[in-house]
């Protein structure tokens, strides 16, 4: 009822201090004591301890169960009311949302395939949407790093703005909304959502179920219907206001999922699942049963390729134990689940969610919750949440991030600083330096420069320093065989050059390296040696007389002329030809035919100092054997073409009647003089100088006859002449035959005078 409203008759209203009043009539009010129901203990279905609350009027106490939703590994879930199920969805799902919006809070899980397999899925990020702010808690680089994003932008932690705080313990990200008591914890593949019943009792739905300490209605669909299996229910809570193009459409109800295969043993040889049932966690067994975590560990052992996937079940169970004050150092019993903390921090399974810092306000009340992570060692605390530095004493943090005690004076970046206790900040001012007296620089190359004072790096001083660019120019050239050597005497600035011998040989201004040939003399072979000349310090040139090679190849002969200064040379003397792989050597003018082929000819000609081999083929004239006298067919003298004595023009005895004249004496009458005439096989090859063959028609049988000759003085003298009886062809000298024929023709002409 409004404060200014007038109560109606018989109307009951709150008066104050849990007191009721009832309007009787005529301004008569009856005071009624407010009776609270008896306080009855309850048992929380999720295993948590009940919390004591008061009703809406803050009058009557009652017990309630705060809600705790968990997920880990390959999508193992525990609802707000403690119901366990598994779900292998690959989409973005609603974990929790308000049935009737009061605090504008929604929490989503973005699931994707683990290890690249289709048989398991993990929560790769948890999205918390609060008052139109979308925080994404993600694991990146394969879970090696955790990061918080706000609206897609990565945030530097710790984050504290608009009522939301995000912390990183080194193992978990923790998002807190202090106003409504919400805490979301996220690891690489596990999460935990703590919701106070005071704000969210009987007003949640999603994959985490209801928040009413009743497991019977946890498997509720978005339309309010209940199904028997939460594994079926979970697929229908796809986030409708998040873009998920690859999300599969849920099957139409009703449908039955295949019963999961019961796994009794881990599938890896070095499994750590047995630790959940061992003495390592024995202290926690009375508070939280390890059964559901053990089953999840076995499933991950057989469905995920990374052996470290088993660690999430142990880590999640240890976090549940920590809520009951049971801190277990379980990681020391494994080799695959070790923790990596920075060198300045130590690992603890039950550290404070908000570690104390030097900057904490005296009125700050930290979250009363413990969590696994990396914390400052005993005796130290964080300087601030932002710095992450552990310090022995509280004070200031200098610009370099180094802790300073109150009142401490120090120098930073050439400024004199002090840590102020009143403001907990560092105050700095520029350092004052004394005036430097300039020195006198007289030596060549030295100049005055302003440099850092070695005794006080924050101040400068004037000094004489060497500047080689100001040195005078010096001629640094050396003759052949020498190299310039630069030396700077001690205490000087400018260089001095000297020419020192090089390790080379020198001849006529040219340098030679050891082993190189030196052209010293034509009749000597000279080279640069490794021997050092004691006077010049150069390598010495060593020479040997040239050995002439007088051996020449076939077809050449060694000739040394007056123009040759040292050695002669091989001069060609024959034509050299290759016939069927055999080298042939022909002298100038020689003719050669291959065996069995007398018609092919090779000749050698020496022209202008060169030997030229010429090859030609003899072409025979047409030959008709039918025109030959029998028995006269034979090869010509060249051994190539056939020749014969023709029947009509053959060699035979002819006669001429004429006088015989001898020494101016003449026969008294004409006498029949016989001779041989006719064709014979003759040839003369002008292509082969000096090579001719004559087959002449000559007498083969003759007799001597005597006749009287009368001389001019009247004397008669006898004269014997040859009378040819038979003729035949015989080889003779062509030149002689020509001469005889000429004389004979002349004799015949004289006879006709």
């Amino acid at each position: 009822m409004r404060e200014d409203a007038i109560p109606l008759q018989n109307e009951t209203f709150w008066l104050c201090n849990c007191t009721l009043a009832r309007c009787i009539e005529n301004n008569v009010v009856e005071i009624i004591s407010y009776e609270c129901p008896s306080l009855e203990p309850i048992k929380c279905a999720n295993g948590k301890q009940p919390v004591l609350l008061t009703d809406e009027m803050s009058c009557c106490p009652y017990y309630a169960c705060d809600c705790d939703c968990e997920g880990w590994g390959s999508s193992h879930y525990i609802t707000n009311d403690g119901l366990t199920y598994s779900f292998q969805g690959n989409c973005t799902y609603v974990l929790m949302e308000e049935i009737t919006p009061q605090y504008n809070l929604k929490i989503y899980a973005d699931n994707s395939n683990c290890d690249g397999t289709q048989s398991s899925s993990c929560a790769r990020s948890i999205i918390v949407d609060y008052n139109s702010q979308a925080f994404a808690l993600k694991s990146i680089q394969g879970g090696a790093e955790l990061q918080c994003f706000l609206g897609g932008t990565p945030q530097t932690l710790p984050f504290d703005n608009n009522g939301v705080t995000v912390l990183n313990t080194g193992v978990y990200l923790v998002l807190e909304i202090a106003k409504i008591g919400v805490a979301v914890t996220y690891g690489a593949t596990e999460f935990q959502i703590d919701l106070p019943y005071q704000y969210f009792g009987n007003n949640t739905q999603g994959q985490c179920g209801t928040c009413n300490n009743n497991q019977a209605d946890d498997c509720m669909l978005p339309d309010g219907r209940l199904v028997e299996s939460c594994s079926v229910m979970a697929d229908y809570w796809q986030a409708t206001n998040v873009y998920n193009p690859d999300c599969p459409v849920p099957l139409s109800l009703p449908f039955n999922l295949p019963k999961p295969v019961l796994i009794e043993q881990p599938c890896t040889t070095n499994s750590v699942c047995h630790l959940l049932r061992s003495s390592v966690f024995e202290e926690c067994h009375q508070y939280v049963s390890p059964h559901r975590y053990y089953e999840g560990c076995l499933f991950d052992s057989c469905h995920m390729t990374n052996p470290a996937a088993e660690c999430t079940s142990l880590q999640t169970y240890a976090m549940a134990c920590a809520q009951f004050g049971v801190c277990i150092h379980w990681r020391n019993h494994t080799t695959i689940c070790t923790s990596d903390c920075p060198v300045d921090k130590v690992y603890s399974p039950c550290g404070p969610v908000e570690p104390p810092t030097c900057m904490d306000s005296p009125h700050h009340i930290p979250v009363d919750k413990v969590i696994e992570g990396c914390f400052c060692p005993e005796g130290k605390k964080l300087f601030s949440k932002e710095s992450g530095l552990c310090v022995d004493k509280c004070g200031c943090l200098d610009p370099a991030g180094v802790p300073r005690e109150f009142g401490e004076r120090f120098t930073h970046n050439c400024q004199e600083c002090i840590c102020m206790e009143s403001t907990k900040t560092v105050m700095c001012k520029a350092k004052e330096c004394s005036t430097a007296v300039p020195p006198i620089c007289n030596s060549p190359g030295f100049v005055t420069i302003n440099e850092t004072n070695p005794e006080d790096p924050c101040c400068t001083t004037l000094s004489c320093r060497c500047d080689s660019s100001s040195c005078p120019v010096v001629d640094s050239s050396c003759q052949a065989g020498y190299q310039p050597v630069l030396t700077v005497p001690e205490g000087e600035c400018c260089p001095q050059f000297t020419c020192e011998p090089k390790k080379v040989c020198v001849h006529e201004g040219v340098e030679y390296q050891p082993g190189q040939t030196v052209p010293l003399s034509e009749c000597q072979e000279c080279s640069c040696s490794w021997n050092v000349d004691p006077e010049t310090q150069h390598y010495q040139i060593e020479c040997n007389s040239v050995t002439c090679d007088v051996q020449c190849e076939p077809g050449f002969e060694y000739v040394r002329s007056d123009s040759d200064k040292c050695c002669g040379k091989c001069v060609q003397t024959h034509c050299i030809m290759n016939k069927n792989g055999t080298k042939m050597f022909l002298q100038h003018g020689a003719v050669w035919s291959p065996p069995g082929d007398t018609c092919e000819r090779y000749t050698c000609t020496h022209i202008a100092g060169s030997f030229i081999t010429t090859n030609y083929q003899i072409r025979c004239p047409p030959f008709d054997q039918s025109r030959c006298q029998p028995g006269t067919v034979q090869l010509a003298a060249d051994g190539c073409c056939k020749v014969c004595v023709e029947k009509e023009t053959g060699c035979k005895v002819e006669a001429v009647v004429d006088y015989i004249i001898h020494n101016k004496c003449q026969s008294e009458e004409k006498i029949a003089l016989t001779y041989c005439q006719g064709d014979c096989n003759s040839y003369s090859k002008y292509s082969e100088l000096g090579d001719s063959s004559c087959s002449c028609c000559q007498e083969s049988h003759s007799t001597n006859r005597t006749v009287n000759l009368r001389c001019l003085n009247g004397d008669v003298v006898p004269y014997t002449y040859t009378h040819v009886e038979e003729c035949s062809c015989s080889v003779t000298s062509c030149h002689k035959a020509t001469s005889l024929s000429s004389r004979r023709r002349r004799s015949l002409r004289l006879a006709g005078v």
Side-chain angles (χ1 to χ4, degrees):
M1 186 180 69
R2 299 193 315 271
E3 293 182 359
D4 58 347
I6 299 176
L8 300 177
Q9 186 175 354
N10 293 325
E11 181 180 358
T12 301
F13 57 92
W14 286 101
L15 189 60
C16 63
N17 296 329
C18 298
T19 302
L20 290 174
R22 184 172 62 229
C23 179
I24 303 299
E25 60 180 351
N26 298 325
N27 293 326
V28 177
V29 176
E30 179 185 10
I31 303 301
I32 303 174
S33 298
Y34 182 72
E35 295 183 3
C36 294
S38 59
L39 184 63
E40 297 182 0
I42 63 172
K43 183 178 181 180
C44 295
N46 58 13
K48 297 177 71 70
Q49 294 295 327
V51 293
L52 185 63
L53 303 176
T54 57
D55 59 12
E56 295 179 357
M57 304 307 297
S58 300
C59 294
C60 299
Y62 68 96
Y63 285 107
C65 296
D66 286 340
C67 297
D68 180 7
C69 179
E70 298 178 21
W72 75 93
S74 181
S75 295
H76 311 298
Y77 292 84
I78 301 177
T79 65
N80 288 324
D81 297 328
L83 186 62
T84 303
Y85 70 93
S86 293
F87 171 64
Q88 304 299 329
N90 187 14
C91 188
T92 302
Y93 301 94
V94 177
L95 289 175
M96 168 271 169
E97 67 179 9
E98 297 173 282
I99 299 175
T100 302
Q102 295 183 27
Y103 305 106
N104 298 318
L105 177 66
K106 291 183 179 180
I107 303 176
Y108 306 92
D110 185 16
N111 291 1
S112 61
N113 294 329
C114 301
D115 291 346
T117 64
Q118 298 292 331
S119 61
S120 60
S121 64
C122 302
R124 292 303 186 190
S125 68
I126 298 297
I127 303 170
V128 180
D129 190 345
Y130 175 65
N131 282 340
S132 301
Q133 297 181 95
F135 294 87
L137 310 181
K138 293 185 177 182
S139 63
I140 58 178
Q141 297 181 1
E145 183 178 347
L146 300 175
Q147 197 162 8
C148 173
F149 293 80
L150 175 57
T153 303
Q155 301 297 307
T156 301
L157 301 183
F159 173 90
D160 190 358
N161 194 18
N162 293 329
V164 179
T165 302
V166 184
L167 305 171
N168 188 345
T169 71
V171 178
Y172 291 104
L173 291 178
V174 180
L175 183 146
E176 299 175 349
I177 307 175
K179 182 178 179 180
I180 53 178
V182 173
V184 179
T185 305
Y186 176 69
T189 58
E190 62 271 14
F191 66 87
Q192 178 177 317
I193 302 173
D194 294 325
L195 300 175
Y197 182 88
Q198 179 180 359
Y199 300 106
F200 296 95
N202 294 304
N203 193 32
T204 66
Q205 60 182 359
Q207 289 184 338
C208 286
T210 58
C211 181
N212 58 5
N213 200 31
N214 180 13
Q215 295 181 355
D217 60 359
D218 277 352
C219 303
M220 185 172 63
L221 300 179
D223 60 5
R225 288 183 295 167
L226 295 177
V227 293
E228 293 184 2
S229 171
C230 284
S231 298
V232 174
M233 170 272 295
D235 199 26
Y236 288 85
W237 282 104
Q238 294 182 6
T240 57
N241 57 340
V242 178
Y243 179 64
N244 289 295
D246 299 327
C247 291
V249 178
L251 299 175
S252 300
L253 291 173
F255 69 90
N256 295 321
L257 290 175
K259 292 184 178 180
V261 178
L262 181 62
I263 302 175
E264 298 181 353
Q265 296 292 332
C267 297
T268 57
T269 55
N270 298 319
S271 173
V272 296
C273 296
H274 68 281
L275 294 177
L276 291 165
R277 293 178 168 181
S278 71
S279 58
V280 175
F281 288 94
E282 184 177 7
E283 184 181 353
C284 183
H285 290 171
Q286 60 179 319
Y287 300 102
V288 183
S289 172
H291 177 69
R292 63 184 71 178
Y293 302 95
Y294 181 73
E295 287 185 341
C297 186
L298 294 181
F299 183 90
D300 294 345
S301 171
C302 297
H303 290 83
M304 298 181 70
T305 59
N306 188 351
E310 298 179 9
C311 300
T312 58
S313 294
L314 279 70
Q315 183 172 310
T316 306
Y317 182 58
M319 182 168 58
C321 295
Q323 306 311 311
F324 288 90
V326 181
C327 296
I328 301 174
H329 288 267
W330 62 276
R331 293 186 184 271
N332 297 337
H333 299 271
T334 72
T335 57
I336 60 174
C337 306
T338 57
S339 60
D340 295 323
C341 288
V343 293
D344 62 332
K345 292 183 174 62
V346 294
Y347 167 80
S348 174
C350 295
V353 172
E354 288 188 275
T357 73
C358 294
M359 297 300 174
D360 288 343
S361 169
H363 307 290
H364 175 70
I365 301 176
V367 177
D368 185 17
K369 182 178 179 180
V370 295
I371 197 167
E372 183 182 23
C374 301
F375 306 92
C376 289
E378 187 175 355
K380 292 187 177 183
K381 65 168 60 176
L382 288 175
F383 179 81
S384 66
K385 294 179 181 179
E386 294 77 16
S387 69
L389 294 176
C390 298
V391 295
D392 298 320
K393 298 179 181 180
C394 292
C396 307
L397 203 64
D398 71 12
V402 178
R404 302 288 182 176
E405 295 184 13
F406 292 129
E408 180 181 354
R409 295 180 180 273
F410 58 94
T411 301
H412 176 74
N413 285 347
C414 294
Q415 290 184 318
E416 294 178 342
C417 305
I418 183 173
C419 174
M420 305 294 293
E421 184 175 5
S422 58
T423 60
K424 296 184 179 181
T425 59
V426 173
M427 301 294 293
C428 298
K429 64 177 181 178
K431 184 176 182 179
E432 296 180 359
C433 297
S434 60
T435 304
V437 178
I440 300 175
C441 304
N442 294 326
S443 299
F446 284 96
V447 295
T448 303
I449 64 170
N450 192 1
E451 63 181 2
T452 301
N453 190 340
E455 298 179 358
D456 188 355
C458 292
C459 298
T460 60
T461 183
L462 296 175
S463 303
C464 289
R465 290 290 180 263
C466 176
D467 181 7
S468 58
S469 63
S470 63
C471 291
V473 178
V474 179
D475 184 11
S476 61
S477 60
C478 297
Q479 63 181 1
Y482 294 87
Q483 60 185 353
V485 176
L486 172 67
T487 58
V488 179
E490 185 177 356
E492 298 294 330
C493 174
C494 297
Q496 296 179 0
F497 288 93
T498 57
C499 292
E500 294 185 359
K502 297 169 65 176
K503 298 301 182 182
V504 294
C505 296
V506 180
H507 174 63
E508 294 183 351
V510 180
E511 297 179 358
Y512 298 90
Q513 297 294 330
Q516 281 188 305
T517 300
V518 181
L520 192 65
S521 172
E522 293 186 8
C523 294
Q524 288 183 316
E525 293 178 344
C526 301
S527 63
C528 182
S529 71
W530 292 94
N531 299 324
V532 179
D533 189 325
E535 294 184 4
T536 63
Q537 295 300 311
H538 294 149
Y539 288 138
Q540 293 178 334
I541 299 175
E542 295 182 351
C543 298
N544 294 313
S545 297
V546 174
T547 301
C548 297
D549 185 6
V550 298
Q551 298 296 325
C552 298
E553 295 183 0
F556 292 81
E557 67 177 7
Y558 182 79
V559 177
R560 188 175 185 277
S561 63
D562 295 337
S563 61
D564 295 326
K565 295 182 179 181
C566 294
C567 298
K569 51 179 154 300
C570 291
V571 179
Q572 188 173 355
T573 58
H574 292 72
C575 289
I576 302 173
M577 55 177 285
N578 193 315
K579 184 66 175 179
N580 297 328
T582 302
K583 281 189 176 182
M584 304 295 297
F585 304 94
L586 301 179
Q587 291 183 342
H588 169 66
V591 180
W592 178 81
S593 295
D597 187 3
T598 57
C599 292
E600 183 179 7
R601 299 298 170 91
Y602 292 87
T603 63
C604 177
T605 306
H606 186 205
I607 301 175
S610 299
F611 284 84
I612 300 173
T613 302
T614 304
N615 170 249
Y616 64 90
Q617 194 81 18
I618 296 176
R619 296 185 179 275
C620 296
F623 179 75
D624 186 359
Q625 190 170 345
S626 63
R627 298 178 60 186
C628 298
Q629 294 183 14
T632 63
V633 177
Q634 61 180 355
L635 290 177
D638 59 10
C640 176
C641 300
K642 289 182 179 181
V643 294
C644 70
V645 177
E646 295 185 1
K647 294 178 180 179
E648 298 298 330
T649 61
C651 180
K652 58 185 177 180
V653 178
E654 296 287 348
V656 61
V657 179
D658 200 353
Y659 293 101
I660 296 176
I661 300 173
H662 179 69
N663 292 333
K664 298 182 180 181
C665 297
Q666 178 177 311
S667 63
E668 295 179 346
E669 57 184 14
K670 293 183 178 181
I671 299 173
L673 300 175
T674 60
Y675 63 93
C676 294
Q677 181 175 330
D679 294 335
C680 289
N681 292 334
S682 301
Y683 71 91
S684 179
K685 294 190 292 183
Y686 299 100
S687 61
E688 300 179 9
L689 300 179
D691 184 13
S692 60
S693 176
C694 292
S695 179
C696 297
C697 183
Q698 296 181 347
E699 67 274 13
S700 59
H701 177 66
S702 62
T703 59
N704 291 329
R705 293 185 181 185
T706 303
V707 66
N708 292 325
L709 302 180
R710 186 174 294 279
C711 301
L712 293 178
N713 59 4
D715 291 340
V716 176
V717 294
Y719 176 76
T720 301
Y721 67 94
T722 301
H723 181 79
V724 177
E725 302 291 343
E726 292 180 1
C727 294
S728 63
C729 294
S730 61
V731 177
T732 185
S733 172
C734 293
H735 298 288
K736 291 181 179 180
T738 303
S739 177
L740 290 173
S741 177
S742 299
R743 287 197 298 270
R744 178 173 296 172
R745 286 195 295 270
R746 286 196 298 270
S747 175
L748 291 176
R749 285 197 296 272
L750 290 174
V753 176

